[in-house]
mmCIF file of all heavy atoms in Angstrom:
data_model
loop_
_atom_site.group_PDB
_atom_site.id
_atom_site.type_symbol
_atom_site.label_atom_id
_atom_site.label_comp_id
_atom_site.label_asym_id
_atom_site.label_seq_id
_atom_site.Cartn_x
_atom_site.Cartn_y
_atom_site.Cartn_z
ATOM 1 N N GLY I 1 0.766 -1.234 -0.008
ATOM 2 C CA GLY I 1 0.053 -0.035 -0.012
ATOM 3 C C GLY I 1 0.817 1.229 -0.027
ATOM 4 O O GLY I 1 2.069 1.298 -0.324
ATOM 5 N N GLN I 2 0.228 2.415 0.364
ATOM 6 C CA GLN I 2 0.846 3.676 0.344
ATOM 7 C C GLN I 2 0.722 4.302 1.861
ATOM 8 O O GLN I 2 -0.254 4.162 2.418
ATOM 9 C CB GLN I 2 0.193 4.628 -0.615
ATOM 10 C CG GLN I 2 0.252 4.056 -2.068
ATOM 11 C CD GLN I 2 -0.296 5.058 -3.097
ATOM 12 O OE1 GLN I 2 -0.529 6.286 -2.787
ATOM 13 N NE2 GLN I 2 -0.688 4.586 -4.177
ATOM 14 N N TYR I 3 1.789 4.974 2.115
ATOM 15 C CA TYR I 3 1.887 5.518 3.445
ATOM 16 C C TYR I 3 2.265 7.061 3.239
ATOM 17 O O TYR I 3 3.241 7.412 2.803
ATOM 18 C CB TYR I 3 3.034 4.870 4.273
ATOM 19 C CG TYR I 3 2.763 3.398 4.559
ATOM 20 C CD1 TYR I 3 3.044 2.434 3.491
ATOM 21 C CD2 TYR I 3 2.127 3.062 5.693
ATOM 22 C CE1 TYR I 3 2.824 1.073 3.713
ATOM 23 C CE2 TYR I 3 1.931 1.634 5.873
ATOM 24 C CZ TYR I 3 2.322 0.695 4.907
ATOM 25 O OH TYR I 3 2.036 -0.631 5.166
ATOM 26 N N ARG I 4 1.240 7.930 3.692
ATOM 27 C CA ARG I 4 1.347 9.366 3.466
ATOM 28 C C ARG I 4 1.738 9.965 4.829
ATOM 29 O O ARG I 4 1.147 9.727 5.758
ATOM 30 C CB ARG I 4 0.003 9.827 2.924
ATOM 31 C CG ARG I 4 -0.014 11.391 2.879
ATOM 32 C CD ARG I 4 0.904 12.036 1.911
ATOM 33 N NE ARG I 4 0.521 13.419 1.604
ATOM 34 C CZ ARG I 4 0.646 14.486 2.430
ATOM 35 N NH1 ARG I 4 1.221 14.240 3.693
ATOM 36 N NH2 ARG I 4 0.348 15.672 2.087
ATOM 37 N N THR I 5 2.801 10.834 4.862
ATOM 38 C CA THR I 5 3.285 11.451 6.049
ATOM 39 C C THR I 5 3.732 12.835 5.788
ATOM 40 O O THR I 5 3.898 13.162 4.589
ATOM 41 C CB THR I 5 4.245 10.499 6.753
ATOM 42 O OG1 THR I 5 4.610 11.045 7.950
ATOM 43 C CG2 THR I 5 5.555 10.468 5.852
ATOM 44 N N GLY I 6 3.956 13.572 6.815
ATOM 45 C CA GLY I 6 4.462 14.977 6.690
ATOM 46 C C GLY I 6 3.320 15.914 6.644
ATOM 47 O O GLY I 6 2.182 15.629 6.893
ATOM 48 N N PRO I 7 3.586 17.235 6.365
ATOM 49 C CA PRO I 7 2.555 18.192 6.275
ATOM 50 C C PRO I 7 1.444 17.953 5.327
ATOM 51 O O PRO I 7 1.599 17.110 4.401
ATOM 52 C CB PRO I 7 3.348 19.484 5.805
ATOM 53 C CG PRO I 7 4.753 19.193 6.117
ATOM 54 C CD PRO I 7 4.945 17.682 6.006
ATOM 55 N N CYS I 8 0.294 18.530 5.631
ATOM 56 C CA CYS I 8 -0.939 18.102 4.869
ATOM 57 C C CYS I 8 -0.887 18.837 3.429
ATOM 58 O O CYS I 8 -1.448 18.289 2.512
ATOM 59 C CB CYS I 8 -2.192 18.653 5.581
ATOM 60 S SG CYS I 8 -2.482 17.761 7.058
ATOM 61 N N SER I 9 -0.258 19.951 3.348
ATOM 62 C CA SER I 9 -0.224 20.688 2.027
ATOM 63 C C SER I 9 1.230 20.644 1.450
ATOM 64 O O SER I 9 2.205 20.571 2.186
ATOM 65 C CB SER I 9 -0.779 22.089 2.260
ATOM 66 O OG SER I 9 0.011 22.744 3.133
ATOM 67 N N GLY I 10 1.229 20.964 0.102
ATOM 68 C CA GLY I 10 2.495 21.021 -0.570
ATOM 69 C C GLY I 10 2.742 19.818 -1.442
ATOM 70 O O GLY I 10 2.128 18.877 -1.383
ATOM 71 N N PRO I 11 3.548 20.134 -2.479
ATOM 72 C CA PRO I 11 3.884 18.979 -3.414
ATOM 73 C C PRO I 11 4.541 17.777 -2.670
ATOM 74 O O PRO I 11 5.415 17.974 -1.797
ATOM 75 C CB PRO I 11 4.764 19.576 -4.458
ATOM 76 C CG PRO I 11 5.405 20.752 -3.681
ATOM 77 C CD PRO I 11 4.447 21.227 -2.746
ATOM 78 N N GLU I 12 4.066 16.542 -3.055
ATOM 79 C CA GLU I 12 4.635 15.358 -2.468
ATOM 80 C C GLU I 12 5.899 14.864 -3.064
ATOM 81 O O GLU I 12 6.063 15.009 -4.313
ATOM 82 C CB GLU I 12 3.582 14.219 -2.583
ATOM 83 C CG GLU I 12 2.380 14.362 -1.635
ATOM 84 C CD GLU I 12 1.496 13.198 -1.734
ATOM 85 O OE1 GLU I 12 1.571 12.415 -2.736
ATOM 86 O OE2 GLU I 12 0.601 13.067 -0.903
ATOM 87 N N ILE I 13 6.764 14.261 -2.302
ATOM 88 C CA ILE I 13 7.833 13.501 -2.851
ATOM 89 C C ILE I 13 7.420 11.953 -2.711
ATOM 90 O O ILE I 13 6.942 11.591 -1.636
ATOM 91 C CB ILE I 13 9.170 13.746 -2.128
ATOM 92 C CG1 ILE I 13 9.582 15.231 -2.346
ATOM 93 C CG2 ILE I 13 10.280 12.759 -2.587
ATOM 94 C CD1 ILE I 13 10.848 15.569 -1.541
ATOM 95 N N LEU I 14 7.654 11.233 -3.814
ATOM 96 C CA LEU I 14 7.201 9.795 -3.666
ATOM 97 C C LEU I 14 8.553 8.949 -3.653
ATOM 98 O O LEU I 14 9.526 9.192 -4.229
ATOM 99 C CB LEU I 14 6.502 9.367 -5.008
ATOM 100 C CG LEU I 14 5.223 10.128 -5.343
ATOM 101 C CD1 LEU I 14 4.658 9.616 -6.580
ATOM 102 C CD2 LEU I 14 4.250 10.160 -4.173
ATOM 103 N N LEU I 15 8.386 7.891 -2.792
ATOM 104 C CA LEU I 15 9.506 6.918 -2.736
ATOM 105 C C LEU I 15 8.905 5.543 -2.928
ATOM 106 O O LEU I 15 7.889 5.103 -2.196
ATOM 107 C CB LEU I 15 10.160 6.933 -1.336
ATOM 108 C CG LEU I 15 11.174 5.753 -1.045
ATOM 109 C CD1 LEU I 15 12.304 5.737 -2.037
ATOM 110 C CD2 LEU I 15 11.596 5.853 0.453
ATOM 111 N N ARG I 16 9.336 4.823 -3.942
ATOM 112 C CA ARG I 16 8.873 3.428 -4.054
ATOM 113 C C ARG I 16 10.008 2.488 -3.488
ATOM 114 O O ARG I 16 11.084 2.523 -3.874
ATOM 115 C CB ARG I 16 8.712 3.143 -5.537
ATOM 116 C CG ARG I 16 7.429 3.908 -6.178
ATOM 117 C CD ARG I 16 7.310 3.664 -7.666
ATOM 118 N NE ARG I 16 6.134 4.209 -8.193
ATOM 119 C CZ ARG I 16 6.028 5.544 -8.458
ATOM 120 N NH1 ARG I 16 6.993 6.414 -8.335
ATOM 121 N NH2 ARG I 16 4.815 6.109 -8.858
ATOM 122 N N THR I 17 9.507 1.649 -2.606
ATOM 123 C CA THR I 17 10.434 0.732 -1.882
ATOM 124 C C THR I 17 9.687 -0.494 -1.488
ATOM 125 O O THR I 17 8.644 -0.800 -1.931
ATOM 126 C CB THR I 17 11.057 1.533 -0.678
ATOM 127 O OG1 THR I 17 12.042 0.616 -0.123
ATOM 128 C CG2 THR I 17 10.035 1.902 0.321
ATOM 129 N N THR I 18 10.297 -1.332 -0.578
ATOM 130 C CA THR I 18 9.676 -2.479 -0.063
ATOM 131 C C THR I 18 9.586 -2.364 1.482
ATOM 132 O O THR I 18 10.290 -1.527 2.017
ATOM 133 C CB THR I 18 10.426 -3.768 -0.331
ATOM 134 O OG1 THR I 18 11.661 -3.698 0.250
ATOM 135 C CG2 THR I 18 10.623 -3.910 -1.924
ATOM 136 N N LEU I 19 8.768 -3.164 2.101
ATOM 137 C CA LEU I 19 8.686 -3.129 3.552
ATOM 138 C C LEU I 19 10.020 -3.631 4.144
ATOM 139 O O LEU I 19 10.502 -3.097 5.219
ATOM 140 C CB LEU I 19 7.593 -4.036 4.050
ATOM 141 C CG LEU I 19 6.139 -3.549 3.768
ATOM 142 C CD1 LEU I 19 5.017 -4.563 4.136
ATOM 143 C CD2 LEU I 19 5.854 -2.216 4.510
ATOM 144 N N PHE I 20 10.699 -4.606 3.582
ATOM 145 C CA PHE I 20 11.995 -5.056 4.085
ATOM 146 C C PHE I 20 12.952 -3.875 4.024
ATOM 147 O O PHE I 20 13.639 -3.594 4.977
ATOM 148 C CB PHE I 20 12.517 -6.259 3.272
ATOM 149 C CG PHE I 20 13.941 -6.699 3.629
ATOM 150 C CD1 PHE I 20 14.205 -7.217 4.757
ATOM 151 C CD2 PHE I 20 14.946 -6.242 2.746
ATOM 152 C CE1 PHE I 20 15.508 -7.561 5.227
ATOM 153 C CE2 PHE I 20 16.203 -6.531 3.192
ATOM 154 C CZ PHE I 20 16.563 -7.182 4.331
ATOM 155 N N ASP I 21 13.073 -3.263 2.846
ATOM 156 C CA ASP I 21 14.083 -2.156 2.790
ATOM 157 C C ASP I 21 13.670 -1.038 3.660
ATOM 158 O O ASP I 21 14.571 -0.357 4.216
ATOM 159 C CB ASP I 21 14.157 -1.713 1.316
ATOM 160 C CG ASP I 21 15.063 -2.553 0.421
ATOM 161 O OD1 ASP I 21 16.121 -3.064 1.027
ATOM 162 O OD2 ASP I 21 14.860 -2.786 -0.709
ATOM 163 N N THR I 22 12.375 -0.775 3.857
ATOM 164 C CA THR I 22 12.047 0.232 4.746
ATOM 165 C C THR I 22 12.475 -0.037 6.166
ATOM 166 O O THR I 22 13.031 0.919 6.848
ATOM 167 C CB THR I 22 10.457 0.360 4.805
ATOM 168 O OG1 THR I 22 9.992 0.773 3.503
ATOM 169 C CG2 THR I 22 10.020 1.420 5.930
ATOM 170 N N MET I 23 12.275 -1.216 6.604
ATOM 171 C CA MET I 23 12.892 -1.574 8.007
ATOM 172 C C MET I 23 14.401 -1.313 8.023
ATOM 173 O O MET I 23 14.890 -0.772 9.023
ATOM 174 C CB MET I 23 12.639 -2.953 8.332
ATOM 175 C CG MET I 23 13.141 -3.418 9.676
ATOM 176 S SD MET I 23 12.905 -5.172 10.099
ATOM 177 C CE MET I 23 14.179 -5.954 8.988
ATOM 178 N N ARG I 24 15.111 -1.657 7.003
ATOM 179 C CA ARG I 24 16.545 -1.507 6.996
ATOM 180 C C ARG I 24 16.947 -0.017 6.949
ATOM 181 O O ARG I 24 17.807 0.357 7.791
ATOM 182 C CB ARG I 24 17.178 -2.256 5.808
ATOM 183 C CG ARG I 24 16.790 -3.720 5.767
ATOM 184 C CD ARG I 24 17.172 -4.499 7.070
ATOM 185 N NE ARG I 24 18.618 -4.843 6.987
ATOM 186 C CZ ARG I 24 19.272 -5.235 8.149
ATOM 187 N NH1 ARG I 24 18.690 -5.158 9.288
ATOM 188 N NH2 ARG I 24 20.516 -5.494 8.044
ATOM 189 N N TRP I 25 16.393 0.794 6.008
ATOM 190 C CA TRP I 25 16.811 2.218 6.021
ATOM 191 C C TRP I 25 16.388 3.009 7.240
ATOM 192 O O TRP I 25 17.131 3.860 7.697
ATOM 193 C CB TRP I 25 16.489 2.894 4.724
ATOM 194 C CG TRP I 25 15.218 2.950 4.207
ATOM 195 C CD1 TRP I 25 14.641 2.161 3.184
ATOM 196 C CD2 TRP I 25 14.161 3.815 4.545
ATOM 197 N NE1 TRP I 25 13.327 2.562 2.865
ATOM 198 C CE2 TRP I 25 13.040 3.576 3.677
ATOM 199 C CE3 TRP I 25 13.999 4.836 5.381
ATOM 200 C CZ2 TRP I 25 11.775 4.259 3.763
ATOM 201 C CZ3 TRP I 25 12.793 5.588 5.501
ATOM 202 C CH2 TRP I 25 11.718 5.279 4.669
ATOM 203 N N ARG I 26 15.197 2.685 7.755
ATOM 204 C CA ARG I 26 14.715 3.428 8.907
ATOM 205 C C ARG I 26 15.607 3.125 10.086
ATOM 206 O O ARG I 26 15.766 3.996 11.012
ATOM 207 C CB ARG I 26 13.277 2.993 9.286
ATOM 208 C CG ARG I 26 12.207 3.735 8.446
ATOM 209 C CD ARG I 26 12.080 5.181 8.899
ATOM 210 N NE ARG I 26 11.279 5.383 10.098
ATOM 211 C CZ ARG I 26 11.405 6.378 10.867
ATOM 212 N NH1 ARG I 26 12.317 7.288 10.731
ATOM 213 N NH2 ARG I 26 10.654 6.568 11.830
ATOM 214 N N LEU I 27 16.231 1.993 10.213
ATOM 215 C CA LEU I 27 17.059 1.574 11.353
ATOM 216 C C LEU I 27 18.539 1.741 11.142
ATOM 217 O O LEU I 27 19.357 1.077 11.777
ATOM 218 C CB LEU I 27 16.618 0.108 11.898
ATOM 219 C CG LEU I 27 15.207 0.094 12.386
ATOM 220 C CD1 LEU I 27 14.845 -1.373 12.791
ATOM 221 C CD2 LEU I 27 15.017 0.958 13.628
ATOM 222 N N GLY I 28 18.925 2.514 10.122
ATOM 223 C CA GLY I 28 20.273 2.816 9.887
ATOM 224 C C GLY I 28 21.060 1.729 9.164
ATOM 225 O O GLY I 28 22.343 1.750 9.279
ATOM 226 N N ARG I 29 20.445 0.842 8.395
ATOM 227 C CA ARG I 29 21.208 -0.246 7.705
ATOM 228 C C ARG I 29 21.383 0.125 6.263
ATOM 229 O O ARG I 29 21.614 -0.752 5.417
ATOM 230 C CB ARG I 29 20.352 -1.461 7.788
ATOM 231 C CG ARG I 29 20.797 -2.357 9.078
ATOM 232 C CD ARG I 29 20.486 -1.714 10.314
ATOM 233 N NE ARG I 29 20.907 -2.553 11.491
ATOM 234 C CZ ARG I 29 20.663 -2.245 12.785
ATOM 235 N NH1 ARG I 29 20.228 -0.989 13.091
ATOM 236 N NH2 ARG I 29 21.154 -2.956 13.690
ATOM 237 N N ARG I 30 21.286 1.470 5.896
ATOM 238 C CA ARG I 30 21.706 1.918 4.609
ATOM 239 C C ARG I 30 22.387 3.196 4.789
ATOM 240 O O ARG I 30 22.146 4.060 5.663
ATOM 241 C CB ARG I 30 20.415 2.227 3.721
ATOM 242 C CG ARG I 30 19.529 0.983 3.435
ATOM 243 C CD ARG I 30 20.196 0.017 2.478
ATOM 244 N NE ARG I 30 19.317 -1.084 2.167
ATOM 245 C CZ ARG I 30 19.372 -2.243 2.807
ATOM 246 N NH1 ARG I 30 20.234 -2.495 3.802
ATOM 247 N NH2 ARG I 30 18.566 -3.230 2.343
ATOM 248 N N SER I 31 23.378 3.415 3.918
ATOM 249 C CA SER I 31 24.181 4.755 3.917
ATOM 250 C C SER I 31 23.287 5.832 3.327
ATOM 251 O O SER I 31 22.335 5.574 2.601
ATOM 252 C CB SER I 31 25.412 4.549 3.097
ATOM 253 O OG SER I 31 25.213 4.442 1.757
ATOM 254 N N ARG I 32 23.729 7.063 3.443
ATOM 255 C CA ARG I 32 23.013 8.213 2.817
ATOM 256 C C ARG I 32 23.057 8.085 1.356
ATOM 257 O O ARG I 32 22.110 8.498 0.690
ATOM 258 C CB ARG I 32 23.648 9.436 3.321
ATOM 259 C CG ARG I 32 22.748 10.736 3.145
ATOM 260 C CD ARG I 32 23.385 11.982 3.686
ATOM 261 N NE ARG I 32 22.506 13.136 3.723
ATOM 262 C CZ ARG I 32 22.249 13.901 2.665
ATOM 263 N NH1 ARG I 32 22.878 13.628 1.484
ATOM 264 N NH2 ARG I 32 21.435 14.901 2.730
ATOM 265 N N LEU I 33 24.272 7.673 0.779
ATOM 266 C CA LEU I 33 24.371 7.481 -0.672
ATOM 267 C C LEU I 33 23.411 6.404 -1.168
ATOM 268 O O LEU I 33 22.679 6.575 -2.271
ATOM 269 C CB LEU I 33 25.792 7.139 -0.982
ATOM 270 C CG LEU I 33 26.787 8.228 -0.962
ATOM 271 C CD1 LEU I 33 28.224 7.666 -1.302
ATOM 272 C CD2 LEU I 33 26.446 9.371 -1.937
ATOM 273 N N GLN I 34 23.247 5.348 -0.462
ATOM 274 C CA GLN I 34 22.229 4.316 -0.755
ATOM 275 C C GLN I 34 20.793 4.868 -0.801
ATOM 276 O O GLN I 34 20.042 4.490 -1.682
ATOM 277 C CB GLN I 34 22.379 3.038 0.118
ATOM 278 C CG GLN I 34 23.634 2.327 -0.171
ATOM 279 C CD GLN I 34 23.710 1.101 0.774
ATOM 280 O OE1 GLN I 34 23.738 1.224 2.056
ATOM 281 N NE2 GLN I 34 23.719 -0.190 0.332
ATOM 282 N N MET I 35 20.510 5.604 0.186
ATOM 283 C CA MET I 35 19.163 6.176 0.306
ATOM 284 C C MET I 35 19.005 7.178 -0.883
ATOM 285 O O MET I 35 17.860 7.094 -1.468
ATOM 286 C CB MET I 35 19.091 6.944 1.632
ATOM 287 C CG MET I 35 18.842 6.068 2.848
ATOM 288 S SD MET I 35 17.347 5.056 2.648
ATOM 289 C CE MET I 35 16.110 6.247 2.481
ATOM 290 N N ALA I 36 19.912 7.975 -1.168
ATOM 291 C CA ALA I 36 19.668 8.920 -2.267
ATOM 292 C C ALA I 36 19.537 8.237 -3.560
ATOM 293 O O ALA I 36 18.810 8.780 -4.504
ATOM 294 C CB ALA I 36 20.931 9.907 -2.308
ATOM 295 N N ALA I 37 20.021 7.020 -3.760
ATOM 296 C CA ALA I 37 19.950 6.311 -4.979
ATOM 297 C C ALA I 37 18.633 5.453 -5.196
ATOM 298 O O ALA I 37 18.431 4.818 -6.117
ATOM 299 C CB ALA I 37 21.145 5.396 -5.166
ATOM 300 N N MET I 38 17.844 5.514 -4.179
ATOM 301 C CA MET I 38 16.556 4.695 -4.279
ATOM 302 C C MET I 38 15.630 5.255 -5.269
ATOM 303 O O MET I 38 15.868 6.286 -5.932
ATOM 304 C CB MET I 38 15.913 4.541 -2.903
ATOM 305 C CG MET I 38 16.794 3.681 -1.908
ATOM 306 S SD MET I 38 15.823 2.895 -0.560
ATOM 307 C CE MET I 38 14.948 4.340 0.112
ATOM 308 N N ASP I 39 14.318 4.661 -5.428
ATOM 309 C CA ASP I 39 13.438 5.063 -6.466
ATOM 310 C C ASP I 39 12.632 6.203 -6.050
ATOM 311 O O ASP I 39 11.454 6.117 -5.555
ATOM 312 C CB ASP I 39 12.595 3.863 -6.743
ATOM 313 C CG ASP I 39 11.724 4.037 -7.977
ATOM 314 O OD1 ASP I 39 11.797 5.147 -8.581
ATOM 315 O OD2 ASP I 39 10.938 3.180 -8.272
ATOM 316 N N TRP I 40 13.164 7.435 -6.192
ATOM 317 C CA TRP I 40 12.552 8.750 -5.824
ATOM 318 C C TRP I 40 11.789 9.364 -7.064
ATOM 319 O O TRP I 40 12.290 9.133 -8.159
ATOM 320 C CB TRP I 40 13.447 9.669 -5.242
ATOM 321 C CG TRP I 40 14.211 9.137 -3.949
ATOM 322 C CD1 TRP I 40 15.427 8.657 -3.845
ATOM 323 C CD2 TRP I 40 13.640 9.351 -2.676
ATOM 324 N NE1 TRP I 40 15.609 8.315 -2.549
ATOM 325 C CE2 TRP I 40 14.606 8.838 -1.783
ATOM 326 C CE3 TRP I 40 12.447 9.875 -2.105
ATOM 327 C CZ2 TRP I 40 14.391 8.762 -0.361
ATOM 328 C CZ3 TRP I 40 12.187 9.855 -0.725
ATOM 329 C CH2 TRP I 40 13.177 9.306 0.147
ATOM 330 N N SER I 41 10.706 10.069 -6.720
ATOM 331 C CA SER I 41 10.086 10.770 -7.842
ATOM 332 C C SER I 41 10.783 11.998 -8.250
ATOM 333 O O SER I 41 10.685 12.528 -9.366
ATOM 334 C CB SER I 41 8.635 11.147 -7.440
ATOM 335 O OG SER I 41 8.662 12.059 -6.335
ATOM 336 N N GLU I 42 11.650 12.473 -7.335
ATOM 337 C CA GLU I 42 12.442 13.661 -7.470
ATOM 338 C C GLU I 42 13.509 13.772 -6.498
ATOM 339 O O GLU I 42 13.745 12.825 -5.700
ATOM 340 C CB GLU I 42 11.627 15.014 -7.462
ATOM 341 C CG GLU I 42 10.816 15.082 -6.151
ATOM 342 C CD GLU I 42 9.813 16.277 -6.248
ATOM 343 O OE1 GLU I 42 10.151 17.356 -6.018
ATOM 344 O OE2 GLU I 42 8.616 15.944 -6.491
ATOM 345 N N ASP I 43 14.270 14.817 -6.558
ATOM 346 C CA ASP I 43 15.389 15.000 -5.630
ATOM 347 C C ASP I 43 14.902 14.879 -4.197
ATOM 348 O O ASP I 43 14.109 15.600 -3.755
ATOM 349 C CB ASP I 43 16.061 16.437 -5.761
ATOM 350 C CG ASP I 43 17.258 16.647 -4.922
ATOM 351 O OD1 ASP I 43 17.649 15.683 -4.206
ATOM 352 O OD2 ASP I 43 17.798 17.789 -4.995
ATOM 353 N N PRO I 44 15.565 13.817 -3.434
ATOM 354 C CA PRO I 44 15.012 13.569 -2.079
ATOM 355 C C PRO I 44 15.700 14.443 -0.991
ATOM 356 O O PRO I 44 15.456 14.240 0.242
ATOM 357 C CB PRO I 44 15.393 12.049 -1.873
ATOM 358 C CG PRO I 44 16.686 11.926 -2.663
ATOM 359 C CD PRO I 44 16.528 12.822 -3.840
ATOM 360 N N ALA I 45 16.515 15.434 -1.451
ATOM 361 C CA ALA I 45 17.265 16.311 -0.437
ATOM 362 C C ALA I 45 16.425 16.857 0.705
ATOM 363 O O ALA I 45 16.837 16.827 1.878
ATOM 364 C CB ALA I 45 17.968 17.367 -1.231
#
């Protein structure tokens, strides 16, 4: 499914990932470079 978070208004940034990878990056098992290289709709900065 989809998980919407952050402020209610403004353009959204989309990230396509998996639940497994979500657990890993949320708990620090990915580097910043690995995170930046994921499937983003636009610049994730």
Side-chain angles (χ1 to χ4, degrees):
Q2 301 185 18
Y3 299 82
R4 171 65 163 73
T5 187
C8 295
S9 62
E12 291 182 344
I13 296 177
L14 302 181
L15 169 62
R16 291 176 173 82
T17 184
T18 66
L19 290 173
F20 171 75
D21 278 325
T22 295
M23 180 184 74
R24 301 304 278 163
W25 54 258
R26 278 289 279 150
L27 294 177
R29 271 59 180 184
R30 297 290 183 266
S31 71
R32 197 176 189 279
L33 286 175
Q34 285 178 300
M35 284 300 303
M38 294 204 307
D39 188 3
W40 297 96
S41 63
E42 56 190 279
D43 183 2

